[in-house]
Amino acid sequence: MPLTLAEKARYARQIILEEFGERAQSALKSRSALVVGSGGLGCPVIMYLAAAGIGKLGIIDGDIVASDNLHRQVIFKEADIGRLKVDAAKECVKALNSFVEVETYPERFSKENALALAGQYDLIVDGTDNLASKYLINDACVISSKPFIYGAVYKFEGHVSVFNGKLKDGTLGPTYRCLFPSPPTAGLPNCAEIGVLGGVPGAIGMLQAVEAIKVLADVGDPLVGRLLIFDMLSARLRLVNIKRRPEVCDIEKLGTYDNAPRCAGVREISSAELSRWMAKGADFEIVDVREPSEVAQYSIGGIHVPLNELERATEKIPDNKPVVFVCQSGVRSAYAISMLKEKAQNGDYYNLKGGLNEYRAFIEKG
């Protein structure tokens, strides 16, 4: 879609980028994205996509602005408290860039509207904070053949990836279910339950916006088949490769998507207690659910079963002794325990609180 003189002037700093140019800017103008959720992740996504010059932006969220949103949902003001988030977000976008077409939906992204909405946009960006919505977005994108720009935050850690996108050879990359095949009955806590530092979802949302721009404008190397993990407390970045699993990618219809009870029955063990178990030679096992590249960087031993292989390798998990599940921050290991409990494997399971990040810091402090 040709750019006007006003648009060329407005986006001049992007257009002069050799890797971007007028071609990519024109492509972005002709494309659209649906942002599901206008919270901590959705706010920076909305503003950076609008500022970059996307043609059409859809925003779906049935929530209203509350005072405890303002420390991280930075497009809202005190005067917006009590307003529909989508109304305040649209107002902010139009004030920033009147060239952008904005469509708002003051409702939840649900099984009833997911496919109809997915069909109207070129991709979907995940701004949600619950597992049910992430699985619904994934499945709607798979059925509709649309890329899914994934983002998630847990305390000081954030994840970003591009699911259901195209690899360099033109084949389809992995989906969200290739990483997490099925949701556990017991979900994971959201920011309302465990807290969040305002800048963390801001940084992750910004990265999601960049990935969306790369996909829409066909520039660079999007995070297809790779999961970016950003631990902001220690300022460490890691990339984990994800393989496509055909047995979980064949989705023909939407399923059931319920937000289950949060982390029900997942016991935790502190780094101090685990260290004591090790020192006294207690009879227990460690199961590390991280990817091989992460284990190669730092490990405390035990059995290595990557999370995306756990469903097919349950026989490796001992049932005659306590088992401590570990990952980098404690998120994936909690998910692993929930998954096993859902399959009626009621072993003596513990989740390492804070993951290996916290354990390593504890050991190094002596």
Side-chain angles (χ1 to χ4, degrees):
M1 186 178 292
L3 300 174
T4 65
L5 289 177
E7 288 171 324
K8 289 180 181 180
R10 184 185 189 99
Y11 308 124
R13 296 300 183 271
Q14 289 177 176
I15 292 173
I16 62 173
L17 288 168
E18 181 181 347
E19 300 84 354
F20 200 77
E22 191 170 326
R23 178 206 61 79
Q25 190 67 58
S26 297
L28 187 59
K29 178 182 177 180
S30 68
R31 307 300 293 277
S32 62
L34 175 68
V35 182
V36 180
S38 53
L41 292 172
C43 282
V45 170
I46 290 166
M47 297 313 292
Y48 275 102
L49 288 182
I54 193 170
K56 180 180 178 181
L57 197 55
I59 307 169
I60 180 167
D61 195 321
D63 203 1
I64 62 173
V65 180
S67 61
D68 62 358
N69 298 152
L70 300 181
H71 86 290
R72 67 193 184 283
Q73 298 174 20
V74 294
I75 67 175
F76 305 128
K77 308 177 292 295
E78 289 183 358
D80 292 321
I81 293 173
R83 295 182 66 193
L84 281 167
K85 286 185 175 181
V86 292
D87 289 347
K90 180 176 181 177
E91 184 178 286
C92 193
V93 169
K94 297 306 286 186
L96 173 67
N97 191 347
S98 60
F99 290 121
V100 178
E101 178 186 351
V102 185
E103 192 75 40
T104 58
Y105 310 90
E107 57 189 299
R108 279 193 327 110
F109 188 75
S110 66
K111 182 178 177 179
E112 289 69 35
N113 61 27
L115 294 178
L117 287 170
Q120 298 176 43
Y121 294 88
D122 293 310
L123 58 73
I124 296 182
V125 186
D126 169 27
T128 68
D129 67 352
N130 66 84
L131 290 174
S133 294
K134 295 181 189 299
Y135 281 97
L136 175 57
I137 294 170
N138 175 81
D139 294 357
C141 284
V142 170
I143 294 170
S144 305
S145 299
K146 302 294 173 72
F148 165 22
I149 312 298
Y150 163 73
V153 168
Y154 180 80
K155 292 186 177 179
F156 294 92
E157 181 174 297
H159 296 179
V160 183
S161 189
V162 177
F163 293 119
N164 208 44
K166 294 231 180 130
L167 295 163
K168 289 181 178 179
D169 62 5
T171 60
L172 272 178
T175 72
Y176 182 65
R177 289 187 183 272
C178 297
L179 181 63
F180 302 120
S182 60
T185 299
L188 297 175
N190 62 23
C191 63
E193 297 163 322
I194 57 164
V196 62
L197 187 67
V200 176
I204 297 303
M206 178 187 66
L207 291 171
Q208 287 180 273
V210 172
E211 290 303 307
I213 291 168
K214 286 158 64 177
V215 172
L216 293 171
D218 192 22
V219 296
D221 186 13
L223 285 168
V224 180
R226 296 173 295 162
L227 176 69
L228 176 67
I229 303 173
F230 191 178
D231 176 4
M232 298 185 208
L233 197 58
S234 62
R236 291 193 180 108
L237 281 166
R238 302 186 304 281
L239 273 175
V240 176
N241 292 325
I242 310 168
K243 293 182 179 179
R244 184 173 173 85
R245 295 176 55 186
E247 71 272 19
V248 296
C249 293
D250 186 15
I251 300 169
E252 297 180 352
K253 62 181 181 179
L254 298 179
T256 300
Y257 307 90
D258 294 323
N259 285 315
R262 306 284 183 178
C263 288
V266 176
R267 293 180 295 175
E268 291 188 318
I269 183 171
S270 68
S271 296
E273 183 65 16
L274 178 59
S275 181
R276 285 193 288 270
W277 281 18
M278 289 180 166
K280 68 181 183 182
D283 185 21
F284 72 100
E285 187 60 83
I286 292 172
V287 175
D288 191 329
V289 299
R290 297 175 299 160
E291 294 298 310
S293 59
E294 296 175 278
V295 174
Q297 292 178 17
Y298 179 76
S299 172
I300 58 172
I303 301 169
H304 176 222
V305 185
L307 182 61
N308 63 3
E309 298 177 12
L310 184 61
E311 282 191 314
R312 297 169 291 175
T314 55
E315 73 283 352
K316 294 183 179 180
I317 311 301
D319 58 6
N320 60 347
K321 64 177 73 175
V323 180
V324 178
F325 286 79
V326 304
C327 68
Q328 207 66 32
S329 66
V331 176
R332 285 171 285 174
S333 47
Y335 184 100
I337 294 172
S338 296
M339 184 189 300
L340 290 172
K341 286 183 174 295
E342 184 178 275
K343 294 184 176 298
Q345 297 211 191
N346 297 311
D348 191 10
Y349 301 147
Y350 295 83
N351 182 43
L352 178 59
K353 184 179 180 181
L356 292 174
N357 287 338
E358 190 169 305
Y359 180 83
R360 189 174 188 177
F362 172 80
I363 295 300
E364 289 175 354
K365 285 180 180 177

PDB file of all heavy atoms in Angstrom, residues 271 325-331 333 351-360:
ATOM      1  N   SER A 271      15.181 -23.026  48.598  1.00  0.00           N
ATOM      2  CA  SER A 271      16.575 -23.332  48.270  1.00  0.00           C
ATOM      3  C   SER A 271      17.338 -23.784  49.512  1.00  0.00           C
ATOM      4  O   SER A 271      18.173 -24.699  49.453  1.00  0.00           O
ATOM      5  CB  SER A 271      17.253 -22.099  47.664  1.00  0.00           C
ATOM      6  OG  SER A 271      16.655 -21.751  46.440  1.00  0.00           O
ATOM      7  N   PHE A 325      11.064 -30.983  41.499  1.00  0.00           N
ATOM      8  CA  PHE A 325      11.085 -30.527  40.113  1.00  0.00           C
ATOM      9  C   PHE A 325      11.725 -29.147  40.058  1.00  0.00           C
ATOM     10  O   PHE A 325      11.402 -28.263  40.875  1.00  0.00           O
ATOM     11  CB  PHE A 325       9.668 -30.473  39.544  1.00  0.00           C
ATOM     12  CG  PHE A 325       9.093 -31.826  39.243  1.00  0.00           C
ATOM     13  CD1 PHE A 325       8.573 -32.613  40.260  1.00  0.00           C
ATOM     14  CD2 PHE A 325       9.076 -32.320  37.945  1.00  0.00           C
ATOM     15  CE1 PHE A 325       8.044 -33.872  39.997  1.00  0.00           C
ATOM     16  CE2 PHE A 325       8.561 -33.569  37.666  1.00  0.00           C
ATOM     17  CZ  PHE A 325       8.042 -34.350  38.689  1.00  0.00           C
ATOM     18  N   VAL A 326      12.622 -28.961  39.079  1.00  0.00           N
ATOM     19  CA  VAL A 326      13.313 -27.681  38.962  1.00  0.00           C
ATOM     20  C   VAL A 326      13.277 -27.169  37.528  1.00  0.00           C
ATOM     21  O   VAL A 326      13.211 -27.945  36.570  1.00  0.00           O
ATOM     22  CB  VAL A 326      14.788 -27.781  39.431  1.00  0.00           C
ATOM     23  CG1 VAL A 326      14.873 -28.297  40.851  1.00  0.00           C
ATOM     24  CG2 VAL A 326      15.618 -28.647  38.491  1.00  0.00           C
ATOM     25  N   CYS A 327      13.293 -25.844  37.404  1.00  0.00           N
ATOM     26  CA  CYS A 327      13.494 -25.184  36.113  1.00  0.00           C
ATOM     27  C   CYS A 327      14.209 -23.872  36.427  1.00  0.00           C
ATOM     28  O   CYS A 327      14.753 -23.723  37.517  1.00  0.00           O
ATOM     29  CB  CYS A 327      12.180 -24.957  35.373  1.00  0.00           C
ATOM     30  SG  CYS A 327      11.088 -23.749  36.154  1.00  0.00           S
ATOM     31  N   GLN A 328      14.218 -22.937  35.496  1.00  0.00           N
ATOM     32  CA  GLN A 328      14.989 -21.733  35.720  1.00  0.00           C
ATOM     33  C   GLN A 328      14.373 -20.826  36.781  1.00  0.00           C
ATOM     34  O   GLN A 328      15.069 -20.299  37.642  1.00  0.00           O
ATOM     35  CB  GLN A 328      15.151 -20.960  34.406  1.00  0.00           C
ATOM     36  CG  GLN A 328      16.407 -20.112  34.354  1.00  0.00           C
ATOM     37  CD  GLN A 328      17.669 -20.950  34.346  1.00  0.00           C
ATOM     38  OE1 GLN A 328      17.691 -22.052  33.814  1.00  0.00           O
ATOM     39  NE2 GLN A 328      18.724 -20.443  34.971  1.00  0.00           N
ATOM     40  N   SER A 329      13.030 -20.644  36.728  1.00  0.00           N
ATOM     41  CA  SER A 329      12.403 -19.697  37.658  1.00  0.00           C
ATOM     42  C   SER A 329      11.308 -20.309  38.521  1.00  0.00           C
ATOM     43  O   SER A 329      10.750 -19.638  39.372  1.00  0.00           O
ATOM     44  CB  SER A 329      11.795 -18.528  36.870  1.00  0.00           C
ATOM     45  OG  SER A 329      10.734 -18.985  36.067  1.00  0.00           O
ATOM     46  N   GLY A 330      10.965 -21.577  38.285  1.00  0.00           N
ATOM     47  CA  GLY A 330       9.915 -22.230  39.060  1.00  0.00           C
ATOM     48  C   GLY A 330       8.581 -22.290  38.347  1.00  0.00           C
ATOM     49  O   GLY A 330       7.635 -22.901  38.859  1.00  0.00           O
ATOM     50  N   VAL A 331       8.475 -21.692  37.165  1.00  0.00           N
ATOM     51  CA  VAL A 331       7.211 -21.682  36.433  1.00  0.00           C
ATOM     52  C   VAL A 331       6.966 -23.029  35.752  1.00  0.00           C
ATOM     53  O   VAL A 331       5.933 -23.672  35.946  1.00  0.00           O
ATOM     54  CB  VAL A 331       7.193 -20.543  35.382  1.00  0.00           C
ATOM     55  CG1 VAL A 331       5.911 -20.603  34.570  1.00  0.00           C
ATOM     56  CG2 VAL A 331       7.322 -19.200  36.060  1.00  0.00           C
ATOM     57  N   SER A 333       8.435 -25.888  36.203  1.00  0.00           N
ATOM     58  CA  SER A 333       8.421 -27.025  37.121  1.00  0.00           C
ATOM     59  C   SER A 333       7.080 -27.129  37.845  1.00  0.00           C
ATOM     60  O   SER A 333       6.576 -28.235  38.083  1.00  0.00           O
ATOM     61  CB  SER A 333       9.584 -26.924  38.117  1.00  0.00           C
ATOM     62  OG  SER A 333       9.664 -25.627  38.677  1.00  0.00           O
ATOM     63  N   ASN A 351       8.051 -28.451  44.243  1.00  0.00           N
ATOM     64  CA  ASN A 351       8.528 -27.491  43.256  1.00  0.00           C
ATOM     65  C   ASN A 351       9.576 -26.593  43.916  1.00  0.00           C
ATOM     66  O   ASN A 351       9.331 -26.034  44.989  1.00  0.00           O
ATOM     67  CB  ASN A 351       7.369 -26.635  42.735  1.00  0.00           C
ATOM     68  CG  ASN A 351       7.813 -25.658  41.670  1.00  0.00           C
ATOM     69  OD1 ASN A 351       8.597 -26.012  40.780  1.00  0.00           O
ATOM     70  ND2 ASN A 351       7.325 -24.433  41.725  1.00  0.00           N
ATOM     71  N   LEU A 352      10.746 -26.456  43.275  1.00  0.00           N
ATOM     72  CA  LEU A 352      11.785 -25.600  43.841  1.00  0.00           C
ATOM     73  C   LEU A 352      11.369 -24.141  43.727  1.00  0.00           C
ATOM     74  O   LEU A 352      11.261 -23.585  42.634  1.00  0.00           O
ATOM     75  CB  LEU A 352      13.118 -25.824  43.111  1.00  0.00           C
ATOM     76  CG  LEU A 352      14.289 -24.941  43.579  1.00  0.00           C
ATOM     77  CD1 LEU A 352      14.564 -25.154  45.067  1.00  0.00           C
ATOM     78  CD2 LEU A 352      15.536 -25.209  42.751  1.00  0.00           C
ATOM     79  N   LYS A 353      11.106 -23.528  44.848  1.00  0.00           N
ATOM     80  CA  LYS A 353      10.621 -22.140  44.885  1.00  0.00           C
ATOM     81  C   LYS A 353      11.654 -21.193  44.276  1.00  0.00           C
ATOM     82  O   LYS A 353      12.824 -21.193  44.673  1.00  0.00           O
ATOM     83  CB  LYS A 353      10.329 -21.732  46.331  1.00  0.00           C
ATOM     84  CG  LYS A 353       9.741 -20.346  46.468  1.00  0.00           C
ATOM     85  CD  LYS A 353       9.463 -20.019  47.924  1.00  0.00           C
ATOM     86  CE  LYS A 353       8.873 -18.633  48.078  1.00  0.00           C
ATOM     87  NZ  LYS A 353       8.624 -18.298  49.503  1.00  0.00           N
ATOM     88  N   GLY A 354      11.206 -20.400  43.293  1.00  0.00           N
ATOM     89  CA  GLY A 354      12.109 -19.454  42.646  1.00  0.00           C
ATOM     90  C   GLY A 354      13.037 -20.076  41.638  1.00  0.00           C
ATOM     91  O   GLY A 354      13.831 -19.377  40.988  1.00  0.00           O
ATOM     92  N   GLY A 355      12.972 -21.413  41.512  1.00  0.00           N
ATOM     93  CA  GLY A 355      13.773 -22.104  40.513  1.00  0.00           C
ATOM     94  C   GLY A 355      15.269 -22.048  40.771  1.00  0.00           C
ATOM     95  O   GLY A 355      15.743 -21.677  41.852  1.00  0.00           O
ATOM     96  N   LEU A 356      16.020 -22.418  39.736  1.00  0.00           N
ATOM     97  CA  LEU A 356      17.475 -22.464  39.863  1.00  0.00           C
ATOM     98  C   LEU A 356      18.091 -21.069  39.945  1.00  0.00           C
ATOM     99  O   LEU A 356      19.216 -20.930  40.434  1.00  0.00           O
ATOM    100  CB  LEU A 356      18.068 -23.249  38.690  1.00  0.00           C
ATOM    101  CG  LEU A 356      17.730 -24.747  38.707  1.00  0.00           C
ATOM    102  CD1 LEU A 356      18.219 -25.428  37.445  1.00  0.00           C
ATOM    103  CD2 LEU A 356      18.348 -25.424  39.937  1.00  0.00           C
ATOM    104  N   ASN A 357      17.361 -20.070  39.480  1.00  0.00           N
ATOM    105  CA  ASN A 357      17.863 -18.702  39.651  1.00  0.00           C
ATOM    106  C   ASN A 357      18.041 -18.397  41.138  1.00  0.00           C
ATOM    107  O   ASN A 357      19.087 -17.911  41.577  1.00  0.00           O
ATOM    108  CB  ASN A 357      16.884 -17.696  39.042  1.00  0.00           C
ATOM    109  CG  ASN A 357      16.898 -17.711  37.527  1.00  0.00           C
ATOM    110  OD1 ASN A 357      17.873 -18.141  36.920  1.00  0.00           O
ATOM    111  ND2 ASN A 357      15.825 -17.246  36.929  1.00  0.00           N
ATOM    112  N   GLU A 358      16.996 -18.695  41.910  1.00  0.00           N
ATOM    113  CA  GLU A 358      17.043 -18.421  43.341  1.00  0.00           C
ATOM    114  C   GLU A 358      18.011 -19.363  44.044  1.00  0.00           C
ATOM    115  O   GLU A 358      18.740 -18.949  44.959  1.00  0.00           O
ATOM    116  CB  GLU A 358      15.635 -18.553  43.926  1.00  0.00           C
ATOM    117  CG  GLU A 358      15.507 -18.070  45.348  1.00  0.00           C
ATOM    118  CD  GLU A 358      14.058 -17.969  45.793  1.00  0.00           C
ATOM    119  OE1 GLU A 358      13.266 -17.272  45.106  1.00  0.00           O
ATOM    120  OE2 GLU A 358      13.717 -18.583  46.830  1.00  0.00           O
ATOM    121  N   TYR A 359      18.038 -20.618  43.618  1.00  0.00           N
ATOM    122  CA  TYR A 359      18.933 -21.596  44.261  1.00  0.00           C
ATOM    123  C   TYR A 359      20.402 -21.204  44.053  1.00  0.00           C
ATOM    124  O   TYR A 359      21.204 -21.226  44.983  1.00  0.00           O
ATOM    125  CB  TYR A 359      18.673 -22.988  43.698  1.00  0.00           C
ATOM    126  CG  TYR A 359      19.563 -24.050  44.302  1.00  0.00           C
ATOM    127  CD1 TYR A 359      19.236 -24.639  45.513  1.00  0.00           C
ATOM    128  CD2 TYR A 359      20.746 -24.438  43.673  1.00  0.00           C
ATOM    129  CE1 TYR A 359      20.061 -25.595  46.094  1.00  0.00           C
ATOM    130  CE2 TYR A 359      21.580 -25.395  44.233  1.00  0.00           C
ATOM    131  CZ  TYR A 359      21.230 -25.968  45.442  1.00  0.00           C
ATOM    132  OH  TYR A 359      22.056 -26.911  46.010  1.00  0.00           O
ATOM    133  N   ARG A 360      20.721 -20.833  42.825  1.00  0.00           N
ATOM    134  CA  ARG A 360      22.110 -20.464  42.524  1.00  0.00           C
ATOM    135  C   ARG A 360      22.537 -19.247  43.329  1.00  0.00           C
ATOM    136  O   ARG A 360      23.658 -19.188  43.859  1.00  0.00           O
ATOM    137  CB  ARG A 360      22.254 -20.203  41.025  1.00  0.00           C
ATOM    138  CG  ARG A 360      23.687 -20.022  40.551  1.00  0.00           C
ATOM    139  CD  ARG A 360      23.730 -19.924  39.036  1.00  0.00           C
ATOM    140  NE  ARG A 360      25.081 -19.926  38.538  1.00  0.00           N
ATOM    141  CZ  ARG A 360      25.396 -19.916  37.251  1.00  0.00           C
ATOM    142  NH1 ARG A 360      24.427 -19.933  36.325  1.00  0.00           N
ATOM    143  NH2 ARG A 360      26.661 -19.917  36.863  1.00  0.00           N
TER     144      ARG A 360
END
